[in-house]
């Protein structure tokens, strides 16, 4: 599938270059970089995967900044931070991973603040807190890890109060 993704990337890049204002085409280029990064990561080529995810970042950041109320673009940006963070964890760059995972959490917190009735955002914030806590625990910072785990617990407790039928 890498061959197909790269062919798609070539086409999407040409379309995006032809019309730089077209949000869909710009987003498509970034999304294809993400897909290539995920495929490379699954294949064990973490360096190339990291490069692909980082190539997607500027487009996601620009698009999310241009349309700050677009939850889909913000979510894509948060997942980009997660993907980079997960690779950095595997490469034993825990400080770098923490920065990425915290950036993902910040995006999710903004989404939750803008749309407090949406039960999806607390679930993703909970996951972010767990990942951050895991990295902190691996670094030996148990107090900070416990604080992250507790923050995650507070998020799901609040969700349970507000949405008792939520699946998370």
């Amino acid at each position: 599938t890498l061959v197909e993704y790269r062919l798609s990337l070539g086409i999407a890049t040409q379309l995006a270059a032809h019309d730089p204002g077209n949000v869909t085409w710009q987003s498509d280029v970034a999304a294809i970089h993400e897909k290539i990064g995920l495929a490379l990561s699954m294949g064990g080529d973490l360096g190339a995967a990291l490069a692909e995810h980082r190539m997607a970042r500027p487009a996601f950041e620009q698009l999310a900044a241009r349309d700050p109320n677009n939850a889909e673009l913000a979510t894509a940006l948060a997942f980009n931070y997660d993907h980079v963070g997960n690779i950095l964890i595997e490469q034993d760059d825990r400080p770098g991973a923490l920065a990425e995972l915290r950036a993902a959490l910040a995006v999710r917190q903004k989404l939750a603040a803008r749309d407090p009735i949406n039960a999806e955002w607390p679930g993703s914030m909970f996951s972010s807190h767990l990942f951050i806590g895991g990295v902190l625990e691996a670094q030996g910072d148990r107090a900070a890890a416990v604080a992250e785990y507790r923050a995650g617990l507070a998020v799901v407790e609040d969700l349970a109060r507000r949405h008792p039928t939520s699946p998370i």
Side-chain angles (χ1 to χ4, degrees):
T1 58
L2 272 174
V3 172
E4 288 85 4
Y5 283 149
R6 291 190 195 283
L7 288 171
S8 296
L9 179 61
I11 294 166
T13 301
Q14 287 177 354
L15 290 170
H18 178 71
D19 186 0
N22 187 310
V23 172
T24 301
W25 291 345
Q26 302 302 319
S27 179
D28 285 349
V29 170
I32 296 168
H33 277 297
E34 283 287 279
K35 288 179 183 183
I36 292 171
L38 290 170
L40 289 166
S41 185
M42 286 191 279
D45 192 347
L46 298 180
L50 184 61
E52 289 293 334
H53 290 301
R54 286 186 169 152
M55 281 189 257
R57 174 81 50 87
F60 282 139
E61 287 176 335
Q62 290 169 4
L63 292 169
R66 236 191 300 179
D67 188 358
N69 293 319
N70 187 320
E72 188 177 321
L73 290 172
T75 300
L77 177 59
F79 277 123
N80 178 269
Y81 286 126
D82 285 336
H83 296 149
V84 171
N86 289 333
I87 291 172
L88 294 176
I89 288 169
E90 289 192 44
Q91 293 179 332
D92 287 325
D93 179 358
R94 291 186 185 115
L98 277 175
E100 297 291 328
L101 297 174
R102 285 183 173 140
L105 176 59
V107 170
R108 291 180 172 116
Q109 288 169 326
K110 287 178 187 174
L111 285 167
R114 275 199 320 257
D115 186 9
I117 348 179
N118 188 327
E120 180 183 338
W121 310 136
S124 60
M125 286 171 29
F126 171 71
S127 296
S128 286
H129 282 296
L130 290 183
F131 285 129
I132 293 167
V135 173
L136 290 166
E137 190 173 352
Q139 285 181 320
D141 191 346
R142 291 187 182 184
V146 167
E148 284 297 330
Y149 295 144
R150 285 185 176 147
L153 179 60
V155 167
V156 293
E157 286 175 339
D158 181 60
L159 174 63
R161 277 191 296 280
R162 291 184 300 115
H163 302 280
T165 60
S166 178
I168 184 154

